[in-house]
Amino acid sequence: MSTLPLTDAPAPPALPAVAEATSGSPDSLPAPDPASAPPVRTPDPEDTAALSVWPRTTVERPHGALLVGGVPLSEIAEGHGTPVYVLDETEVRERCRGYRTAFPDAEIHYAAKAFLCRAVSRWVAEEGLGLDVCSAGELELAVTAGFPAERVLLHGNAKSPQDLETALRLGVGRIVIDAPSEIARIAAAVGTGGHQKVMIRVTPGIGAGGHRKIRTGTDDQKFGLSLRDGHAQHAVARVLDQPQLELTGLHCHLGSQITDVKPYLVAVRRLVGLMARIRDTHGVTLPELDLGGGHGIAHRPGEPALDLAALARKVRAELAGSCAAAGLPVPRLLIEPGRAVTGPAGVALYRVLSVKRTPGTTFVAVDGGMSDNPRPALYGVRYVPRLVGRHSTADPERVTVVGRHCEAGDIVAEDVPLPADIHPGDLLAVPAAGAYHLSMASSYNLVGRPPVVAVHDGRARLLVRRETLADLRVRDVGL
């Protein structure tokens, strides 16, 4: 695959073409008789490359049908309407297992900001991962769904009083300190007889990430305490003076969509150097080191993705070597993947509303857009939609797929090939859509947010229902 390689992960189980849906279940789609389904077409190499950024359970059938998790995407669109997001449970679970295999001695925390719902929190808990949250809302949702609070890590550059109160009330495992003022606030909230494990987020002065707006390891942005100017060392001293706070280690997060291993190795060297200075100055050996996440995936065939096996191998070697040189024991490693777990597991489905041909561009307008996926407008992310549900023999045409919202920047995919006979009513599918779509969604133009449907072993079930006009009206209390 072009997405994050999980070479050590177990192979996906053989899936039936379409399994029988649970009778009478409102959240399941009726499935056709497998015996009547046409045989699976053996894709040519070009087709295989085109599916490289799709969930690994994806199967193509004749006449344009595409199945994910054993369920035809066209049936999901018909049963739940569009736009709709499809999340492959098998893909999510296998990516969790892939991380545990690659880092067997590390704690893996799923970054909830990528996408969180009760089912996802249950999946990652059952796969042995912890959870990385950045608000009381994410924390409450996970814990009330049964996620163990002691396996949760809370961070954020500006934690509200509600965030800290909720974290302490529910008993989170660690709180990551991001600003000097948080030290006194957390210590006061814990109280003289209390105890709370904390980490300090260090800004190591490393520029990495797919776009300047998602680079968080440099000194010129809002996150963390700088290693270069001494703020991190000063924060360490202040935390160590608070007996109710237990400093377990250092945390850093370099950015997002990182596809090169080297920045992580530089971060290891710099943070181990700081750990050695803390030992020499305070006589304290910190037992944990959190390298964050930001592991890049491919959104289009041929794009680079971070090699997980190489990352794990080289980080372990660098950590062992740096600690040996500094005379430190190797700390327990924490890793926080988000996008790399759910991103490749998601597919967005849209219905074409109109096709407008101008002298310079053909615009294909769909029934979603920047309200359910703001990332093209924010970061210039590029996708390759695919026509599903029918087979076209028309030659491809370069088009721009746009959304329905009143913004010129509401673009789903720019200058992409689609059949020249694309027309209203057609169904388009966008792969690599499982992270930072719905988690960043809005109700712009009072368009409700789409539902999320999970697929697994030939069945589909609703995880998050569609936001309706009634939902939006209930919040408007100003008459």
Side-chain angles (χ1 to χ4, degrees), residues 177-225:
I177 292 171
D178 197 281
S181 60
E182 289 184 355
I183 300 171
R185 289 174 59 205
I186 296 172
V190 171
T192 54
H195 177 267
Q196 176 62 52
K197 293 181 178 180
V198 299
M199 306 183 84
I200 289 178
R201 179 162 176 172
V202 177
T203 304
I206 298 169
H211 189 281
R212 65 179 182 83
K213 293 183 179 179
I214 51 176
R215 294 172 188 155
T216 57
T218 59
D219 290 321
D220 56 350
Q221 45 72 48
K222 68 178 184 177
F223 292 102
L225 294 152

Short mmCIF file of all heavy atoms in Angstrom, two decimals, residues 177-225:
data_model
loop_
_atom_site.label_atom_id
_atom_site.label_comp_id
_atom_site.label_asym_id
_atom_site.label_seq_id
_atom_site.Cartn_x
_atom_site.Cartn_y
_atom_site.Cartn_z
N ILE A 177 1.75 19.10 30.65
CA ILE A 177 1.85 20.54 30.92
C ILE A 177 2.41 21.24 29.69
O ILE A 177 3.45 20.87 29.16
CB ILE A 177 2.73 20.79 32.16
CG1 ILE A 177 2.01 20.26 33.40
CG2 ILE A 177 3.08 22.26 32.30
CD1 ILE A 177 2.88 20.25 34.64
N ASP A 178 1.68 22.28 29.25
CA ASP A 178 2.05 22.98 28.01
C ASP A 178 2.44 24.43 28.26
O ASP A 178 2.94 25.09 27.35
CB ASP A 178 0.87 22.92 27.04
CG ASP A 178 1.26 23.23 25.61
OD1 ASP A 178 1.42 24.42 25.28
OD2 ASP A 178 1.43 22.28 24.81
N ALA A 179 2.22 24.94 29.47
CA ALA A 179 2.54 26.33 29.78
C ALA A 179 2.90 26.44 31.25
O ALA A 179 2.38 25.68 32.08
CB ALA A 179 1.35 27.23 29.46
N PRO A 180 3.77 27.38 31.62
CA PRO A 180 4.17 27.51 33.03
C PRO A 180 3.00 27.73 33.97
O PRO A 180 2.99 27.22 35.09
CB PRO A 180 5.12 28.72 33.01
CG PRO A 180 5.65 28.78 31.61
CD PRO A 180 4.52 28.31 30.74
N SER A 181 1.99 28.48 33.53
CA SER A 181 0.85 28.78 34.40
C SER A 181 0.06 27.54 34.78
O SER A 181 -0.64 27.53 35.79
CB SER A 181 -0.08 29.79 33.72
OG SER A 181 -0.57 29.26 32.49
N GLU A 182 0.15 26.48 33.96
CA GLU A 182 -0.60 25.27 34.27
C GLU A 182 -0.06 24.54 35.49
O GLU A 182 -0.80 23.80 36.15
CB GLU A 182 -0.58 24.31 33.07
CG GLU A 182 -1.41 24.78 31.89
CD GLU A 182 -1.44 23.76 30.76
OE1 GLU A 182 -0.73 22.73 30.86
OE2 GLU A 182 -2.16 24.01 29.79
N ILE A 183 1.20 24.75 35.79
CA ILE A 183 1.80 24.01 36.92
C ILE A 183 1.10 24.36 38.22
O ILE A 183 0.65 23.47 38.96
CB ILE A 183 3.31 24.31 37.00
CG1 ILE A 183 4.00 23.89 35.70
CG2 ILE A 183 3.93 23.61 38.21
CD1 ILE A 183 5.44 24.35 35.59
N ALA A 184 0.97 25.65 38.50
CA ALA A 184 0.30 26.07 39.73
C ALA A 184 -1.18 25.72 39.70
O ALA A 184 -1.76 25.33 40.72
CB ALA A 184 0.49 27.58 39.93
N ARG A 185 -1.82 25.85 38.54
CA ARG A 185 -3.25 25.55 38.45
C ARG A 185 -3.51 24.08 38.74
O ARG A 185 -4.44 23.74 39.47
CB ARG A 185 -3.76 25.90 37.05
CG ARG A 185 -3.85 27.39 36.75
CD ARG A 185 -4.24 27.61 35.30
NE ARG A 185 -5.53 26.98 35.00
CZ ARG A 185 -5.90 26.60 33.78
NH1 ARG A 185 -5.06 26.74 32.76
NH2 ARG A 185 -7.09 26.07 33.59
N ILE A 186 -2.71 23.20 38.17
CA ILE A 186 -2.92 21.76 38.39
C ILE A 186 -2.59 21.40 39.83
O ILE A 186 -3.33 20.64 40.48
CB ILE A 186 -2.06 20.94 37.41
CG1 ILE A 186 -2.50 21.19 35.98
CG2 ILE A 186 -2.16 19.45 37.74
CD1 ILE A 186 -1.59 20.58 34.93
N ALA A 187 -1.50 21.95 40.35
CA ALA A 187 -1.13 21.64 41.73
C ALA A 187 -2.21 22.08 42.71
O ALA A 187 -2.56 21.35 43.65
CB ALA A 187 0.20 22.31 42.07
N ALA A 188 -2.79 23.27 42.48
CA ALA A 188 -3.85 23.76 43.37
C ALA A 188 -5.10 22.90 43.25
O ALA A 188 -5.77 22.61 44.25
CB ALA A 188 -4.16 25.22 43.04
N ALA A 189 -5.42 22.49 42.04
CA ALA A 189 -6.61 21.67 41.84
C ALA A 189 -6.45 20.28 42.45
O ALA A 189 -7.40 19.70 42.97
CB ALA A 189 -6.93 21.56 40.35
N VAL A 190 -5.24 19.74 42.40
CA VAL A 190 -4.98 18.42 42.99
C VAL A 190 -5.08 18.49 44.51
O VAL A 190 -5.60 17.57 45.16
CB VAL A 190 -3.60 17.90 42.55
CG1 VAL A 190 -3.21 16.66 43.33
CG2 VAL A 190 -3.59 17.61 41.06
N GLY A 191 -4.57 19.58 45.09
CA GLY A 191 -4.62 19.74 46.54
C GLY A 191 -3.42 19.11 47.22
O GLY A 191 -2.72 18.26 46.65
N THR A 192 -3.20 19.49 48.46
CA THR A 192 -1.99 19.06 49.17
C THR A 192 -1.96 17.55 49.42
O THR A 192 -0.90 16.96 49.51
CB THR A 192 -1.88 19.80 50.52
OG1 THR A 192 -3.10 19.60 51.25
CG2 THR A 192 -1.67 21.28 50.30
N GLY A 193 -3.11 16.95 49.53
CA GLY A 193 -3.12 15.51 49.79
C GLY A 193 -3.29 14.67 48.54
O GLY A 193 -3.37 13.44 48.63
N GLY A 194 -3.34 15.32 47.37
CA GLY A 194 -3.59 14.59 46.13
C GLY A 194 -2.32 14.19 45.41
O GLY A 194 -1.19 14.45 45.86
N HIS A 195 -2.52 13.55 44.27
CA HIS A 195 -1.38 13.10 43.47
C HIS A 195 -1.81 13.03 42.01
O HIS A 195 -2.89 12.53 41.69
CB HIS A 195 -0.92 11.72 43.95
CG HIS A 195 0.20 11.16 43.12
ND1 HIS A 195 -0.01 10.32 42.03
CD2 HIS A 195 1.56 11.31 43.20
CE1 HIS A 195 1.15 9.99 41.50
NE2 HIS A 195 2.12 10.58 42.18
N GLN A 196 -0.98 13.54 41.12
CA GLN A 196 -1.26 13.48 39.70
C GLN A 196 0.03 13.34 38.92
O GLN A 196 1.00 14.08 39.13
CB GLN A 196 -1.99 14.74 39.23
CG GLN A 196 -2.25 14.80 37.73
CD GLN A 196 -3.15 13.66 37.26
OE1 GLN A 196 -4.23 13.45 37.82
NE2 GLN A 196 -2.71 12.92 36.25
N LYS A 197 0.06 12.36 38.00
CA LYS A 197 1.20 12.22 37.11
C LYS A 197 1.10 13.25 35.99
O LYS A 197 0.03 13.48 35.43
CB LYS A 197 1.23 10.82 36.50
CG LYS A 197 1.52 9.71 37.50
CD LYS A 197 1.55 8.36 36.81
CE LYS A 197 1.89 7.25 37.80
NZ LYS A 197 1.93 5.92 37.14
N VAL A 198 2.25 13.88 35.68
CA VAL A 198 2.29 14.89 34.63
C VAL A 198 3.52 14.67 33.76
O VAL A 198 4.48 14.01 34.15
CB VAL A 198 2.32 16.33 35.21
CG1 VAL A 198 1.07 16.62 36.03
CG2 VAL A 198 3.58 16.57 36.04
N MET A 199 3.45 15.23 32.56
CA MET A 199 4.59 15.30 31.66
C MET A 199 4.75 16.76 31.23
O MET A 199 3.83 17.57 31.41
CB MET A 199 4.40 14.40 30.44
CG MET A 199 4.07 12.96 30.75
SD MET A 199 3.93 11.92 29.27
CE MET A 199 5.67 11.51 29.00
N ILE A 200 5.88 17.10 30.68
CA ILE A 200 6.11 18.44 30.17
C ILE A 200 6.31 18.37 28.67
O ILE A 200 7.16 17.60 28.19
CB ILE A 200 7.32 19.11 30.86
CG1 ILE A 200 6.96 19.43 32.31
CG2 ILE A 200 7.76 20.36 30.11
CD1 ILE A 200 8.09 20.04 33.09
N ARG A 201 5.52 19.16 27.95
CA ARG A 201 5.66 19.19 26.50
C ARG A 201 6.80 20.13 26.12
O ARG A 201 6.76 21.33 26.42
CB ARG A 201 4.36 19.65 25.82
CG ARG A 201 4.50 19.71 24.31
CD ARG A 201 3.17 19.72 23.61
NE ARG A 201 3.32 19.88 22.16
CZ ARG A 201 2.35 19.77 21.28
NH1 ARG A 201 1.13 19.49 21.70
NH2 ARG A 201 2.56 19.94 20.00
N VAL A 202 7.77 19.56 25.46
CA VAL A 202 8.99 20.29 25.08
C VAL A 202 8.93 20.62 23.59
O VAL A 202 8.56 19.77 22.76
CB VAL A 202 10.25 19.45 25.38
CG1 VAL A 202 11.51 20.17 24.93
CG2 VAL A 202 10.31 19.12 26.88
N THR A 203 9.26 21.85 23.25
CA THR A 203 9.39 22.24 21.86
C THR A 203 10.86 22.09 21.48
O THR A 203 11.70 22.89 21.92
CB THR A 203 8.94 23.70 21.65
OG1 THR A 203 7.60 23.84 22.12
CG2 THR A 203 9.00 24.08 20.18
N PRO A 204 11.21 21.09 20.67
CA PRO A 204 12.62 20.80 20.44
C PRO A 204 13.28 21.61 19.33
O PRO A 204 14.45 21.41 19.04
CB PRO A 204 12.61 19.31 20.09
CG PRO A 204 11.29 19.10 19.44
CD PRO A 204 10.33 20.05 20.10
N GLY A 205 12.53 22.52 18.70
CA GLY A 205 13.11 23.33 17.64
C GLY A 205 13.33 22.57 16.35
O GLY A 205 14.36 22.74 15.69
N ILE A 206 12.36 21.73 15.97
CA ILE A 206 12.47 20.90 14.76
C ILE A 206 11.28 21.21 13.87
O ILE A 206 10.12 21.11 14.31
CB ILE A 206 12.48 19.40 15.12
CG1 ILE A 206 13.69 19.08 15.99
CG2 ILE A 206 12.49 18.54 13.86
CD1 ILE A 206 13.64 17.69 16.61
N GLY A 207 11.53 21.58 12.64
CA GLY A 207 10.47 21.85 11.69
C GLY A 207 10.14 20.60 10.89
O GLY A 207 10.96 20.12 10.12
N ALA A 208 8.93 20.07 11.07
CA ALA A 208 8.52 18.87 10.33
C ALA A 208 7.01 18.89 10.19
O ALA A 208 6.30 19.35 11.09
CB ALA A 208 8.96 17.60 11.07
N GLY A 209 6.53 18.40 9.06
CA GLY A 209 5.09 18.36 8.82
C GLY A 209 4.76 18.72 7.40
O GLY A 209 5.55 19.36 6.70
N GLY A 210 3.56 18.34 6.97
CA GLY A 210 3.18 18.49 5.58
C GLY A 210 2.77 19.89 5.18
O GLY A 210 2.61 20.17 4.00
N HIS A 211 2.56 20.79 6.14
CA HIS A 211 2.12 22.15 5.85
C HIS A 211 2.51 23.02 7.03
O HIS A 211 2.56 22.55 8.17
CB HIS A 211 0.59 22.16 5.64
CG HIS A 211 0.04 23.46 5.12
ND1 HIS A 211 -0.16 24.56 5.92
CD2 HIS A 211 -0.35 23.81 3.87
CE1 HIS A 211 -0.67 25.54 5.19
NE2 HIS A 211 -0.79 25.11 3.93
N ARG A 212 2.78 24.29 6.77
CA ARG A 212 3.27 25.16 7.86
C ARG A 212 2.25 25.27 8.99
O ARG A 212 2.62 25.52 10.16
CB ARG A 212 3.61 26.54 7.31
CG ARG A 212 2.42 27.33 6.78
CD ARG A 212 2.84 28.72 6.29
NE ARG A 212 1.70 29.49 5.82
CZ ARG A 212 0.89 30.18 6.62
NH1 ARG A 212 1.09 30.19 7.92
NH2 ARG A 212 -0.12 30.86 6.11
N LYS A 213 0.97 25.10 8.70
CA LYS A 213 -0.04 25.22 9.74
C LYS A 213 -0.13 23.99 10.64
O LYS A 213 -0.85 24.02 11.64
CB LYS A 213 -1.41 25.48 9.10
CG LYS A 213 -1.51 26.85 8.42
CD LYS A 213 -2.90 27.09 7.87
CE LYS A 213 -3.00 28.46 7.21
NZ LYS A 213 -4.34 28.70 6.63
N ILE A 214 0.57 22.92 10.29
CA ILE A 214 0.53 21.73 11.14
C ILE A 214 1.94 21.32 11.58
O ILE A 214 2.20 20.16 11.87
CB ILE A 214 -0.18 20.56 10.42
CG1 ILE A 214 0.38 20.32 9.02
CG2 ILE A 214 -1.67 20.82 10.34
CD1 ILE A 214 -0.23 19.12 8.31
N ARG A 215 2.84 22.30 11.65
CA ARG A 215 4.17 22.05 12.19
C ARG A 215 4.22 22.62 13.60
O ARG A 215 4.08 23.82 13.81
CB ARG A 215 5.23 22.71 11.31
CG ARG A 215 5.32 22.08 9.92
CD ARG A 215 6.23 22.84 8.99
NE ARG A 215 6.13 22.33 7.63
CZ ARG A 215 6.41 23.02 6.54
NH1 ARG A 215 6.83 24.27 6.65
NH2 ARG A 215 6.27 22.49 5.34
N THR A 216 4.42 21.74 14.57
CA THR A 216 4.31 22.14 15.97
C THR A 216 5.57 21.93 16.78
O THR A 216 5.55 22.07 18.00
CB THR A 216 3.15 21.38 16.64
OG1 THR A 216 3.38 19.97 16.49
CG2 THR A 216 1.82 21.73 16.00
N GLY A 217 6.68 21.59 16.10
CA GLY A 217 7.92 21.35 16.83
C GLY A 217 8.88 22.52 16.81
O GLY A 217 9.98 22.43 17.36
N THR A 218 8.46 23.64 16.20
CA THR A 218 9.34 24.81 16.11
C THR A 218 9.02 25.80 17.23
O THR A 218 7.98 25.72 17.89
CB THR A 218 9.17 25.49 14.75
OG1 THR A 218 7.81 25.89 14.58
CG2 THR A 218 9.55 24.55 13.62
N ASP A 219 9.90 26.75 17.42
CA ASP A 219 9.74 27.71 18.51
C ASP A 219 8.76 28.84 18.21
O ASP A 219 8.44 29.61 19.11
CB ASP A 219 11.11 28.31 18.86
CG ASP A 219 12.04 27.32 19.53
OD1 ASP A 219 11.55 26.52 20.35
OD2 ASP A 219 13.24 27.33 19.22
N ASP A 220 8.30 28.95 16.97
CA ASP A 220 7.47 30.11 16.59
C ASP A 220 5.99 29.75 16.50
O ASP A 220 5.27 30.29 15.68
CB ASP A 220 7.96 30.67 15.25
CG ASP A 220 7.96 29.62 14.14
OD1 ASP A 220 7.78 28.42 14.45
OD2 ASP A 220 8.16 30.01 12.98
N GLN A 221 5.53 28.84 17.34
CA GLN A 221 4.10 28.48 17.37
C GLN A 221 3.68 28.29 18.82
O GLN A 221 4.46 28.47 19.73
CB GLN A 221 3.85 27.26 16.51
CG GLN A 221 4.82 26.10 16.67
CD GLN A 221 4.67 25.37 17.97
OE1 GLN A 221 3.57 25.02 18.37
NE2 GLN A 221 5.77 25.15 18.67
N LYS A 222 2.41 27.99 19.02
CA LYS A 222 1.81 28.12 20.36
C LYS A 222 2.06 26.94 21.29
O LYS A 222 1.79 27.06 22.49
CB LYS A 222 0.31 28.33 20.22
CG LYS A 222 -0.45 27.11 19.67
CD LYS A 222 -1.95 27.38 19.62
CE LYS A 222 -2.72 26.14 19.15
NZ LYS A 222 -4.18 26.36 19.18
N PHE A 223 2.55 25.82 20.78
CA PHE A 223 2.62 24.63 21.62
C PHE A 223 3.94 24.49 22.36
O PHE A 223 5.01 24.79 21.82
CB PHE A 223 2.41 23.38 20.76
CG PHE A 223 1.03 23.23 20.21
CD1 PHE A 223 0.76 23.54 18.89
CD2 PHE A 223 -0.02 22.81 21.02
CE1 PHE A 223 -0.52 23.41 18.38
CE2 PHE A 223 -1.30 22.68 20.51
CZ PHE A 223 -1.55 22.99 19.19
N GLY A 224 3.88 23.98 23.57
CA GLY A 224 5.06 23.50 24.28
C GLY A 224 5.93 24.57 24.92
O GLY A 224 5.67 25.77 24.84
N LEU A 225 6.98 24.09 25.54
CA LEU A 225 7.97 24.92 26.24
C LEU A 225 9.32 24.71 25.56
O LEU A 225 9.78 23.59 25.40
CB LEU A 225 8.02 24.54 27.71
CG LEU A 225 6.73 24.86 28.47
CD1 LEU A 225 6.52 23.93 29.64
CD2 LEU A 225 6.75 26.30 28.93
#
